[in-house]
Amino acid sequence: KRGIRVELLETKSAMDGTVVELLNGIEVIRISDSIDLESDRFSQKSEFLRNKEMTHHKQMAKYDALKFINEAVFTVLMIGISTYLATQNIITVGSVLTAYLCFSQLIKPLEELHRILDELSECMVLAEDFFRMTELPSDFSYTPVTESTDIAPVSKEMIDLTDVTFCYKDGEPVLNHLNLKVKEGMFLGIAGPSGCGKSSLIKAICKLEKCSGDILVDGKKIDSLSRKEIADLIALVPQTPFVIAGTIYENICYGLKREVPLQEVESAAKKAFLYDYIDSLPEKFYTRISEGGNNLSGGQRQRLAIARIFLRQPRILILDEATSALDNTSEKYIQTEIEKLKERNHMTIISIAHRLTTLKNCDEIIVLNKGIIEQTGKYKDLINQSGLFQDMYLGKKQG
């Protein structure tokens, strides 16, 4: 019975996940005309759950039937034997009534016993899941940072990585003894094939993954920086932006601890090439965005996330394919505005891009391959130099 209950809970959870998945992908389902396929897939899961539920309920029905038969048989036996004993003057008539009342009072808690045991079984399964969750390791980046009396390491670079190694699996390094120095105000580009370690490098710099080696940000060891201090220093714009179910104003101001005047938000939206679209909406900046930003295009979501940069004005900006969904005109306009912000605030920028032309204006480009820096140079030099970057450039042109 316990096995069936666990399977039922897991199947119901899977069904919930399938519904969310179908809702998120409804446009793809409609375009690809895969309604019948998804209906069959959902029907199969529903039928599996129905069969398990029926098996469970049949077993419970058998138990209930035996319980009531047992109760009826013993009730008849108790009354019959008591009555017989009373007719033989072995016990009094009052004893018969007493015995029946005692038996009835005993039966009531027994009737509840099955319900209690059933609920206990379900609670035990859920409790196991809960305690398994509590055993998950805490996010190391939120560990309270204690001030050290030692002299803090000093680096003239804004970002300084020395012998940094990171593995998801033992013996398979994603970053392999990597060394990198990024000066303040530098525009660094990162290129490389999928799985070369670009995103892992960004996670290491943002203290999202624990690595061996030394990582210094703004002259301080990253282990000595709290999550709040890192948030004040670094802004990350991922390829798939995080959009909340709220107004456009709330989304652009997301993460800021201060009240932002509407004029500032409008200015940020103009620099992100998003103002004209917002201004065309009936409620403008107070238009509500659905969960996940489903009522926005991919490019609009990216521009929304980029608009946040112009409000935060971080010292380090990391763009992880942040303009991949934009057309060339929008991308060039936004790049120009970001470069103006860089020059004005002496901001350090790290940009990851599969579209290599995005890296044209970088002060330096590093080419990662299998967790190591394979090439370094400027865009024009790298496209004319034999190596991985040139191969990627030619492959893109041919494609």
Side-chain angles (χ1 to χ4, degrees), residues 144-194:
V145 176
T146 54
E147 294 185 7
S148 175
T149 55
D150 299 333
I151 299 173
V154 177
S155 173
K156 295 180 181 179
E157 317 297 345
M158 177 56 74
I159 299 171
D160 193 341
L161 280 70
T162 306
D163 199 31
V164 172
T165 299
F166 171 68
C167 302
Y168 286 107
K169 293 181 180 178
D170 292 338
E172 298 179 18
V174 181
L175 300 175
N176 195 357
H177 301 285
L178 189 140
N179 297 289
L180 176 65
K181 295 183 186 297
V182 183
K183 295 179 180 178
E184 185 177 3
M186 184 178 183
F187 188 177
L188 176 72
I190 303 177
S194 297

Short mmCIF file of all heavy atoms in Angstrom, two decimals, residues 144-194:
data_model
loop_
_atom_site.label_atom_id
_atom_site.label_comp_id
_atom_site.label_asym_id
_atom_site.label_seq_id
_atom_site.Cartn_x
_atom_site.Cartn_y
_atom_site.Cartn_z
N PRO A 144 27.22 33.61 5.78
CA PRO A 144 27.65 34.90 6.34
C PRO A 144 29.16 35.06 6.25
O PRO A 144 29.92 34.14 6.55
CB PRO A 144 27.18 34.83 7.80
CG PRO A 144 26.05 33.85 7.78
CD PRO A 144 26.40 32.84 6.73
N VAL A 145 29.60 36.23 5.81
CA VAL A 145 31.03 36.51 5.64
C VAL A 145 31.55 37.16 6.90
O VAL A 145 30.99 38.15 7.38
CB VAL A 145 31.25 37.44 4.42
CG1 VAL A 145 32.72 37.81 4.30
CG2 VAL A 145 30.76 36.76 3.15
N THR A 146 32.59 36.59 7.46
CA THR A 146 33.20 37.17 8.66
C THR A 146 34.42 37.99 8.27
O THR A 146 35.18 37.61 7.38
CB THR A 146 33.64 36.05 9.64
OG1 THR A 146 34.50 35.13 8.94
CG2 THR A 146 32.43 35.29 10.15
N GLU A 147 34.57 39.13 8.92
CA GLU A 147 35.70 39.99 8.62
C GLU A 147 36.98 39.37 9.14
O GLU A 147 37.07 38.92 10.27
CB GLU A 147 35.49 41.37 9.25
CG GLU A 147 34.33 42.14 8.65
CD GLU A 147 34.24 43.54 9.22
OE1 GLU A 147 35.17 43.92 9.97
OE2 GLU A 147 33.27 44.24 8.92
N SER A 148 37.98 39.33 8.29
CA SER A 148 39.26 38.74 8.65
C SER A 148 40.21 39.83 9.13
O SER A 148 40.20 40.96 8.63
CB SER A 148 39.85 38.00 7.44
OG SER A 148 41.14 37.52 7.75
N THR A 149 41.07 39.47 10.08
CA THR A 149 42.08 40.42 10.56
C THR A 149 43.31 40.41 9.67
O THR A 149 44.17 41.27 9.78
CB THR A 149 42.49 40.05 12.01
OG1 THR A 149 42.94 38.68 12.02
CG2 THR A 149 41.32 40.20 12.95
N ASP A 150 43.37 39.40 8.76
CA ASP A 150 44.51 39.33 7.85
C ASP A 150 44.44 40.47 6.83
O ASP A 150 43.36 41.01 6.55
CB ASP A 150 44.52 38.00 7.10
CG ASP A 150 44.67 36.83 8.07
OD1 ASP A 150 45.24 37.05 9.15
OD2 ASP A 150 44.19 35.72 7.75
N ILE A 151 45.58 40.80 6.26
CA ILE A 151 45.61 41.83 5.22
C ILE A 151 44.95 41.26 3.97
O ILE A 151 45.32 40.20 3.48
CB ILE A 151 47.06 42.25 4.91
CG1 ILE A 151 47.72 42.85 6.16
CG2 ILE A 151 47.10 43.25 3.75
CD1 ILE A 151 49.19 43.14 6.00
N ALA A 152 43.98 41.96 3.45
CA ALA A 152 43.23 41.47 2.29
C ALA A 152 44.13 41.49 1.06
O ALA A 152 44.95 42.39 0.89
CB ALA A 152 42.01 42.34 2.05
N PRO A 153 44.02 40.47 0.22
CA PRO A 153 44.81 40.46 -1.00
C PRO A 153 44.43 41.64 -1.90
O PRO A 153 43.27 42.02 -1.98
CB PRO A 153 44.43 39.13 -1.66
CG PRO A 153 43.13 38.77 -1.07
CD PRO A 153 43.12 39.33 0.31
N VAL A 154 45.40 42.23 -2.54
CA VAL A 154 45.16 43.41 -3.36
C VAL A 154 45.50 43.08 -4.81
O VAL A 154 46.50 42.42 -5.09
CB VAL A 154 46.02 44.61 -2.88
CG1 VAL A 154 45.82 45.81 -3.80
CG2 VAL A 154 45.68 44.96 -1.45
N SER A 155 44.63 43.50 -5.70
CA SER A 155 44.89 43.34 -7.13
C SER A 155 44.50 44.64 -7.81
O SER A 155 43.51 45.27 -7.46
CB SER A 155 44.07 42.19 -7.71
OG SER A 155 44.20 42.15 -9.12
N LYS A 156 45.31 45.05 -8.78
CA LYS A 156 45.00 46.26 -9.52
C LYS A 156 43.90 46.02 -10.55
O LYS A 156 43.36 46.96 -11.09
CB LYS A 156 46.27 46.77 -10.21
CG LYS A 156 47.36 47.23 -9.26
CD LYS A 156 48.58 47.71 -10.02
CE LYS A 156 49.68 48.15 -9.05
NZ LYS A 156 50.89 48.61 -9.78
N GLU A 157 43.61 44.75 -10.81
CA GLU A 157 42.60 44.41 -11.81
C GLU A 157 41.20 44.43 -11.18
O GLU A 157 41.04 44.17 -9.99
CB GLU A 157 42.87 43.02 -12.38
CG GLU A 157 44.34 42.74 -12.70
CD GLU A 157 44.91 43.64 -13.78
OE1 GLU A 157 44.11 44.29 -14.49
OE2 GLU A 157 46.14 43.71 -13.91
N MET A 158 40.21 44.71 -12.01
CA MET A 158 38.84 44.64 -11.52
C MET A 158 38.43 43.19 -11.27
O MET A 158 37.76 42.88 -10.28
CB MET A 158 37.89 45.29 -12.53
CG MET A 158 36.42 45.21 -12.15
SD MET A 158 36.05 45.91 -10.52
CE MET A 158 36.17 47.67 -10.87
N ILE A 159 38.87 42.29 -12.16
CA ILE A 159 38.63 40.85 -11.99
C ILE A 159 39.95 40.13 -12.20
O ILE A 159 40.63 40.37 -13.21
CB ILE A 159 37.57 40.33 -12.98
CG1 ILE A 159 36.24 41.05 -12.77
CG2 ILE A 159 37.39 38.82 -12.86
CD1 ILE A 159 35.20 40.75 -13.84
N ASP A 160 40.30 39.27 -11.27
CA ASP A 160 41.59 38.57 -11.35
C ASP A 160 41.38 37.10 -10.97
O ASP A 160 41.05 36.79 -9.82
CB ASP A 160 42.58 39.24 -10.39
CG ASP A 160 44.02 38.78 -10.64
OD1 ASP A 160 44.20 37.72 -11.28
OD2 ASP A 160 44.95 39.47 -10.20
N LEU A 161 41.52 36.22 -11.94
CA LEU A 161 41.35 34.79 -11.71
C LEU A 161 42.70 34.10 -11.83
O LEU A 161 43.43 34.30 -12.82
CB LEU A 161 40.39 34.16 -12.74
CG LEU A 161 38.89 34.33 -12.50
CD1 LEU A 161 38.47 35.78 -12.71
CD2 LEU A 161 38.09 33.44 -13.43
N THR A 162 43.06 33.30 -10.84
CA THR A 162 44.33 32.60 -10.83
C THR A 162 44.10 31.11 -10.57
O THR A 162 43.55 30.73 -9.53
CB THR A 162 45.27 33.17 -9.74
OG1 THR A 162 45.41 34.58 -9.93
CG2 THR A 162 46.64 32.50 -9.81
N ASP A 163 44.50 30.29 -11.53
CA ASP A 163 44.44 28.82 -11.40
C ASP A 163 43.04 28.33 -11.00
O ASP A 163 42.88 27.49 -10.12
CB ASP A 163 45.48 28.36 -10.37
CG ASP A 163 45.82 26.88 -10.52
OD1 ASP A 163 45.77 26.37 -11.65
OD2 ASP A 163 46.10 26.24 -9.48
N VAL A 164 42.03 28.87 -11.67
CA VAL A 164 40.65 28.53 -11.34
C VAL A 164 40.23 27.24 -12.05
O VAL A 164 40.37 27.13 -13.27
CB VAL A 164 39.69 29.68 -11.73
CG1 VAL A 164 38.24 29.25 -11.57
CG2 VAL A 164 39.97 30.90 -10.86
N THR A 165 39.76 26.30 -11.26
CA THR A 165 39.29 25.02 -11.80
C THR A 165 37.89 24.75 -11.27
O THR A 165 37.60 24.99 -10.10
CB THR A 165 40.23 23.86 -11.39
OG1 THR A 165 41.54 24.12 -11.92
CG2 THR A 165 39.73 22.53 -11.94
N PHE A 166 37.03 24.26 -12.15
CA PHE A 166 35.66 23.94 -11.75
C PHE A 166 35.21 22.67 -12.47
O PHE A 166 35.44 22.50 -13.66
CB PHE A 166 34.70 25.09 -12.07
CG PHE A 166 33.26 24.74 -11.88
CD1 PHE A 166 32.76 24.50 -10.61
CD2 PHE A 166 32.41 24.60 -12.96
CE1 PHE A 166 31.43 24.16 -10.42
CE2 PHE A 166 31.08 24.27 -12.78
CZ PHE A 166 30.59 24.04 -11.51
N CYS A 167 34.56 21.77 -11.70
CA CYS A 167 34.07 20.51 -12.26
C CYS A 167 32.63 20.28 -11.81
O CYS A 167 32.30 20.50 -10.65
CB CYS A 167 34.91 19.33 -11.79
SG CYS A 167 36.66 19.43 -12.19
N TYR A 168 31.80 19.82 -12.72
CA TYR A 168 30.49 19.31 -12.35
C TYR A 168 30.62 17.85 -11.94
O TYR A 168 29.94 17.37 -11.05
CB TYR A 168 29.50 19.43 -13.52
CG TYR A 168 29.04 20.84 -13.78
CD1 TYR A 168 29.49 21.53 -14.90
CD2 TYR A 168 28.16 21.48 -12.92
CE1 TYR A 168 29.06 22.84 -15.15
CE2 TYR A 168 27.74 22.78 -13.15
CZ TYR A 168 28.19 23.46 -14.27
OH TYR A 168 27.78 24.74 -14.51
N LYS A 169 31.55 17.15 -12.61
CA LYS A 169 31.86 15.76 -12.29
C LYS A 169 33.35 15.64 -12.05
O LYS A 169 34.15 16.27 -12.74
CB LYS A 169 31.46 14.83 -13.44
CG LYS A 169 29.97 14.74 -13.69
CD LYS A 169 29.68 13.77 -14.82
CE LYS A 169 28.19 13.67 -15.09
NZ LYS A 169 27.90 12.75 -16.24
N ASP A 170 33.74 14.83 -11.06
CA ASP A 170 35.15 14.65 -10.76
C ASP A 170 35.90 14.14 -11.98
O ASP A 170 35.46 13.22 -12.67
CB ASP A 170 35.33 13.65 -9.61
CG ASP A 170 34.82 14.22 -8.29
OD1 ASP A 170 34.72 15.45 -8.19
OD2 ASP A 170 34.49 13.41 -7.39
N GLY A 171 37.05 14.76 -12.24
CA GLY A 171 37.87 14.32 -13.36
C GLY A 171 37.47 14.89 -14.70
O GLY A 171 38.12 14.60 -15.72
N GLU A 172 36.40 15.71 -14.72
CA GLU A 172 35.96 16.32 -15.98
C GLU A 172 35.84 17.84 -15.78
O GLU A 172 34.76 18.39 -15.62
CB GLU A 172 34.61 15.75 -16.42
CG GLU A 172 34.64 14.25 -16.70
CD GLU A 172 33.27 13.71 -17.11
OE1 GLU A 172 32.40 14.51 -17.50
OE2 GLU A 172 33.08 12.49 -17.03
N PRO A 173 36.98 18.54 -15.78
CA PRO A 173 36.96 19.98 -15.51
C PRO A 173 36.29 20.77 -16.63
O PRO A 173 36.57 20.56 -17.81
CB PRO A 173 38.45 20.34 -15.39
CG PRO A 173 39.17 19.29 -16.17
CD PRO A 173 38.35 18.04 -16.02
N VAL A 174 35.39 21.67 -16.23
CA VAL A 174 34.76 22.59 -17.18
C VAL A 174 35.65 23.82 -17.35
O VAL A 174 35.76 24.38 -18.44
CB VAL A 174 33.36 23.00 -16.69
CG1 VAL A 174 32.69 23.94 -17.67
CG2 VAL A 174 32.49 21.77 -16.47
N LEU A 175 36.27 24.24 -16.23
CA LEU A 175 37.33 25.26 -16.26
C LEU A 175 38.60 24.59 -15.76
O LEU A 175 38.60 23.99 -14.68
CB LEU A 175 36.97 26.45 -15.37
CG LEU A 175 35.68 27.21 -15.73
CD1 LEU A 175 35.40 28.30 -14.69
CD2 LEU A 175 35.78 27.83 -17.12
N ASN A 176 39.67 24.70 -16.53
CA ASN A 176 40.87 23.91 -16.24
C ASN A 176 42.07 24.81 -15.98
O ASN A 176 42.72 25.29 -16.91
CB ASN A 176 41.14 22.97 -17.43
CG ASN A 176 42.14 21.88 -17.08
OD1 ASN A 176 42.66 21.84 -15.97
ND2 ASN A 176 42.40 21.01 -18.03
N HIS A 177 42.32 25.09 -14.68
CA HIS A 177 43.47 25.92 -14.27
C HIS A 177 43.52 27.22 -15.08
O HIS A 177 44.54 27.58 -15.66
CB HIS A 177 44.78 25.15 -14.42
CG HIS A 177 44.82 23.88 -13.61
ND1 HIS A 177 45.01 23.88 -12.25
CD2 HIS A 177 44.67 22.58 -13.99
CE1 HIS A 177 44.99 22.63 -11.81
NE2 HIS A 177 44.78 21.83 -12.83
N LEU A 178 42.40 27.92 -15.08
CA LEU A 178 42.24 29.11 -15.91
C LEU A 178 42.77 30.35 -15.20
O LEU A 178 42.54 30.55 -14.01
CB LEU A 178 40.76 29.28 -16.27
CG LEU A 178 40.42 30.34 -17.31
CD1 LEU A 178 39.33 29.82 -18.24
CD2 LEU A 178 39.94 31.62 -16.64
N ASN A 179 43.50 31.18 -15.96
CA ASN A 179 44.02 32.46 -15.46
C ASN A 179 43.48 33.58 -16.33
O ASN A 179 43.52 33.49 -17.57
CB ASN A 179 45.55 32.48 -15.48
CG ASN A 179 46.15 31.43 -14.56
OD1 ASN A 179 46.09 31.54 -13.34
ND2 ASN A 179 46.73 30.39 -15.14
N LEU A 180 42.97 34.63 -15.70
CA LEU A 180 42.38 35.74 -16.46
C LEU A 180 42.45 37.02 -15.64
O LEU A 180 42.15 37.02 -14.45
CB LEU A 180 40.91 35.41 -16.80
CG LEU A 180 40.12 36.50 -17.52
CD1 LEU A 180 40.68 36.76 -18.92
CD2 LEU A 180 38.65 36.12 -17.60
N LYS A 181 42.85 38.09 -16.31
CA LYS A 181 42.88 39.41 -15.67
C LYS A 181 42.06 40.38 -16.52
O LYS A 181 42.27 40.47 -17.73
CB LYS A 181 44.32 39.92 -15.53
CG LYS A 181 45.17 39.07 -14.60
CD LYS A 181 46.57 39.65 -14.44
CE LYS A 181 47.47 38.73 -13.62
NZ LYS A 181 47.00 38.55 -12.24
N VAL A 182 41.13 41.07 -15.87
CA VAL A 182 40.28 42.04 -16.55
C VAL A 182 40.45 43.39 -15.87
O VAL A 182 40.12 43.54 -14.69
CB VAL A 182 38.79 41.60 -16.51
CG1 VAL A 182 37.94 42.58 -17.31
CG2 VAL A 182 38.62 40.18 -17.05
N LYS A 183 40.96 44.36 -16.61
CA LYS A 183 41.19 45.68 -16.05
C LYS A 183 39.88 46.44 -15.88
O LYS A 183 38.91 46.19 -16.59
CB LYS A 183 42.14 46.48 -16.95
CG LYS A 183 43.54 45.89 -17.05
CD LYS A 183 44.41 46.72 -17.99
CE LYS A 183 45.81 46.12 -18.09
NZ LYS A 183 46.66 46.88 -19.04
N GLU A 184 39.90 47.41 -14.97
CA GLU A 184 38.72 48.25 -14.77
C GLU A 184 38.46 49.06 -16.03
O GLU A 184 39.38 49.62 -16.64
CB GLU A 184 38.93 49.19 -13.58
CG GLU A 184 37.69 50.00 -13.24
CD GLU A 184 37.87 50.87 -12.02
OE1 GLU A 184 38.98 50.89 -11.45
OE2 GLU A 184 36.89 51.55 -11.63
N GLY A 185 37.21 49.11 -16.45
CA GLY A 185 36.84 49.86 -17.65
C GLY A 185 37.06 49.11 -18.94
O GLY A 185 36.83 49.65 -20.02
N MET A 186 37.46 47.85 -18.85
CA MET A 186 37.75 47.05 -20.04
C MET A 186 36.46 46.44 -20.60
O MET A 186 35.53 46.12 -19.86
CB MET A 186 38.73 45.94 -19.67
CG MET A 186 39.20 45.08 -20.82
SD MET A 186 40.39 43.85 -20.21
CE MET A 186 40.84 43.04 -21.73
N PHE A 187 36.41 46.27 -21.91
CA PHE A 187 35.31 45.59 -22.59
C PHE A 187 35.86 44.27 -23.10
O PHE A 187 36.56 44.21 -24.11
CB PHE A 187 34.78 46.45 -23.74
CG PHE A 187 33.52 45.91 -24.38
CD1 PHE A 187 32.89 46.62 -25.39
CD2 PHE A 187 32.94 44.71 -23.99
CE1 PHE A 187 31.73 46.15 -26.00
CE2 PHE A 187 31.78 44.23 -24.57
CZ PHE A 187 31.18 44.96 -25.59
N LEU A 188 35.56 43.19 -22.36
CA LEU A 188 36.09 41.86 -22.68
C LEU A 188 35.03 41.02 -23.35
O LEU A 188 33.90 40.91 -22.86
CB LEU A 188 36.57 41.16 -21.40
CG LEU A 188 37.08 39.73 -21.58
CD1 LEU A 188 38.43 39.71 -22.28
CD2 LEU A 188 37.17 39.01 -20.23
N GLY A 189 35.37 40.40 -24.46
CA GLY A 189 34.47 39.48 -25.13
C GLY A 189 34.89 38.05 -24.88
O GLY A 189 36.08 37.75 -24.76
N ILE A 190 33.92 37.16 -24.77
CA ILE A 190 34.20 35.73 -24.59
C ILE A 190 33.49 34.96 -25.69
O ILE A 190 32.29 35.09 -25.88
CB ILE A 190 33.73 35.23 -23.21
CG1 ILE A 190 34.37 36.03 -22.09
CG2 ILE A 190 34.05 33.74 -23.04
CD1 ILE A 190 33.90 35.65 -20.70
N ALA A 191 34.26 34.16 -26.42
CA ALA A 191 33.69 33.33 -27.49
C ALA A 191 34.16 31.90 -27.30
O ALA A 191 35.10 31.62 -26.54
CB ALA A 191 34.13 33.86 -28.86
N GLY A 192 33.49 31.00 -27.99
CA GLY A 192 33.86 29.58 -27.89
C GLY A 192 32.67 28.70 -28.22
O GLY A 192 31.52 29.16 -28.19
N PRO A 193 32.93 27.44 -28.53
CA PRO A 193 31.83 26.53 -28.85
C PRO A 193 30.99 26.20 -27.63
O PRO A 193 31.39 26.49 -26.49
CB PRO A 193 32.56 25.28 -29.37
CG PRO A 193 33.90 25.34 -28.70
CD PRO A 193 34.25 26.78 -28.58
N SER A 194 29.83 25.61 -27.85
CA SER A 194 28.97 25.21 -26.73
C SER A 194 29.70 24.22 -25.84
O SER A 194 30.38 23.31 -26.31
CB SER A 194 27.68 24.56 -27.29
OG SER A 194 26.95 25.49 -28.04
#
